[in-house]
Amino acid sequence: MIKWGGCTDLGQSRPVNEDGYYISDYSAELDAIYAIVADGMGGHQAGEVASALALRQVSEAINQGFCAEMSSQELKELLGTAVREANESIFKKSLSEHSCGGMGTTITLCFIAGEKAMVAHVGDSRAYILRGGTLHQITTDHSLVQELIKSGQITPEEAEHHPQKNVITRALGTDSGVDIDLYEFQVLPGDCILLCTDGLTNLVSEAEMTELLSGADDMNAISKQLIVSANQKGGYDNITAVVLKKD
């Protein structure tokens, strides 16, 4: 059995919510569900267009293409194809419509079926897993500061206040092709998976996330509490949180 919930919020200073999320129907027969978060970018509200297009196209591709007999490799190919096709659609729309020029979006997707889980990731929206009271970050940000950390030019602590903190190095729709990170792992009873945009991670510490997720029973309530916490700390960006818990 899997419990789920999600919430997105405008935040305290943005005029438009360019974040979005999607949670599929839960299949009790397969003990399967998937969820997606997306954080759009671009002027003239084009970020909202990009994230909505990504959510719609990826979810439609998975809903139409998934079948119970799929192997892990076939599921991986389905997720990768869905994300790549969404990238192509967003890129073409950005070229053909002046108001959508330069738009793009992050995407972080988690598919759970039984004891197996798979995450597909582009950008700096994150996936975490809480197991045994410890929060682990599954994804690695595709961002400038992450590259600087990796090369040893700055520390993780310095990255938190870096002036180019929000510059991402990979997104859907900004080029004709895209590299997708795919993670495959086991999900155990009691595990809690969090998908969220940087409006949450830039303001809410991992310690506080751990505390809130550790008491998770109502996933919608936990998602809302995470967003309330980010808003209390300034809420200077859109905020989205989706929580999936394996019972």
Side-chain angles (χ1 to χ4, degrees), residues 14-85:
R14 296 293 178 92
V16 176
N17 190 353
E18 296 183 322
D19 281 7
Y21 73 93
Y22 174 90
I23 303 174
S24 73
D25 291 335
Y26 171 67
S27 169
E29 181 183 359
L30 301 174
D31 193 26
I33 193 170
Y34 72 91
I36 316 169
V37 299
D39 179 357
M41 60 185 186
H44 307 290
Q45 301 181 16
E48 184 181 25
V49 175
S51 59
L53 182 55
L55 293 170
R56 184 174 72 249
Q57 188 152 340
V58 172
S59 61
E60 286 178 354
I62 295 172
N63 293 343
Q64 292 169 9
F66 177 74
C67 64
E69 295 76 23
M70 272 188 164
S71 66
S72 292
Q73 182 58 36
E74 288 170 332
L75 177 59
K76 188 179 294 186
E77 290 173 2
L78 173 63
L79 300 186
T81 298
V83 173
R84 281 191 293 273
E85 288 178 350

Side-chain angles (χ1 to χ4, degrees), residues 1 5 44 47 50 85-86 88 100 108 110 123-124 152 161 174 179 214 234:
M1 176 65 185
H44 307 290
E85 288 178 350
E88 186 177 351
C100 294
T108 301
C110 181
D124 65 352
H161 306 288
T174 56
D179 291 328
S214 295

Side-chain angles (χ1 to χ4, degrees), residues 152-192:
Q153 295 181 58
I154 63 172
T155 66
E157 292 73 26
E158 289 170 335
E160 291 182 12
H161 306 288
H162 196 278
Q164 293 175 295
K165 182 177 181 179
N166 295 323
V167 176
I168 60 175
T169 55
R170 203 186 300 181
L172 288 195
T174 56
D175 205 340
S176 58
V178 65
D179 291 328
I180 306 160
D181 288 351
L182 287 163
Y183 305 84
E184 193 172 354
F185 54 97
Q186 188 178 25
V187 183
L188 306 176
D191 284 354
C192 200

Side-chain angles (χ1 to χ4, degrees), residues 97-188:
E97 297 185 25
H98 177 72
S99 63
C100 294
M103 73 177 179
T105 183
T106 70
I107 191 165
T108 301
L109 181 164
C110 181
F111 194 110
I112 303 173
E115 294 184 348
K116 293 182 179 179
M118 198 169 293
V119 166
H121 167 68
V122 179
D124 65 352
S125 297
R126 293 180 181 176
Y128 292 90
I129 184 168
L130 179 73
R131 175 175 292 170
T134 302
L135 190 68
H136 306 273
Q137 185 176 330
I138 298 168
T139 54
T140 298
D141 293 349
H142 301 135
S143 66
L144 177 61
V145 293
Q146 184 61 42
E147 294 292 328
L148 294 174
I149 292 169
K150 186 178 179 180
S151 64
Q153 295 181 58
I154 63 172
T155 66
E157 292 73 26
E158 289 170 335
E160 291 182 12
H161 306 288
H162 196 278
Q164 293 175 295
K165 182 177 181 179
N166 295 323
V167 176
I168 60 175
T169 55
R170 203 186 300 181
L172 288 195
T174 56
D175 205 340
S176 58
V178 65
D179 291 328
I180 306 160
D181 288 351
L182 287 163
Y183 305 84
E184 193 172 354
F185 54 97
Q186 188 178 25
V187 183
L188 306 176

